[in-house]
Amino acid sequence: MMISQEQTFNKVSKAVPPQMWFSVSAIFHYLGPSFAVLLFPAVGVLGVAWFRIATAAVLFAPFTHPVKTLLLADRKARWFLLSLGCCLAVMNVSFYLALDRLPMSLVAAMEFVGTIAVALYGLRTKRNLIALCLVILGVVILI
């Protein structure tokens, strides 16, 4: 019996605790821009953004099969997927342009503004309020 990639990913995702996924994600979330800033003088801001997008495409394509997905999708889904890709590319370029002009801590903190707004909108309990206050405190400390 052959195990599919989806089954393998499901096993791994269940075997690793969520806190570990979050920790690894957070480390790479800040390591990437830290190293990217060092590349700005060599390849420029847009070069770094392109490198990040291209590297992600090369690393994830074998697992996600984007060509197969596009071929199987209908016209509306293709338009949506291509629009999402363009949106993410613009987001990355904007992020790196901001890193080039502002302190990294401020740019990183600005990333959380949308998330905090959604959390504020969804505020329902005292526990939510405490969590929101802790997040805001963390962002202030980050700045």
Side-chain angles (χ1 to χ4, degrees):
M1 182 174 112
M2 189 170 187
I3 298 175
S4 71
Q5 285 181 344
E6 185 176 342
Q7 290 171 326
T8 303
F9 289 135
N10 284 339
K11 284 182 182 180
V12 171
S13 69
K14 290 176 183 173
V16 178
Q19 298 87 347
M20 184 61 79
W21 287 113
F22 176 79
S23 299
V24 170
S25 173
I27 289 167
F28 281 100
H29 184 76
Y30 290 103
L31 274 181
S34 298
F35 289 123
V37 171
L38 300 174
L39 289 174
F40 285 172
V43 294
V45 177
L46 297 179
V48 170
W50 177 87
F51 183 69
R52 180 174 180 178
I53 295 165
T55 302
V58 168
L59 290 175
F60 289 115
F63 303 107
T64 60
H65 309 287
V67 174
K68 180 180 173 185
T69 302
L70 282 174
L71 290 175
L72 294 175
D74 62 4
R75 184 177 177 173
K76 186 177 179 181
R78 274 190 212 116
W79 175 252
F80 174 77
L81 291 170
L82 293 173
S83 298
L84 179 62
C86 290
C87 180
L88 290 172
V90 168
M91 182 188 72
N92 270 303
V93 169
S94 300
F95 177 77
Y96 284 116
L97 286 170
L99 274 180
D100 189 39
R101 291 167 173 77
L102 299 168
M104 188 181 307
S105 60
L106 180 60
V107 175
M110 288 168 52
E111 283 186 291
F112 291 105
V113 171
T115 307
I116 290 173
V118 170
L120 184 60
Y121 178 76
L123 195 64
R124 301 283 184 266
T125 65
K126 186 176 180 180
R127 180 179 174 208
N128 293 152
L129 178 63
I130 293 168
L132 182 63
C133 290
L134 288 172
V135 168
I136 292 171
L137 177 65
V139 170
V140 169
I141 290 170
L142 187 62
I143 293 173

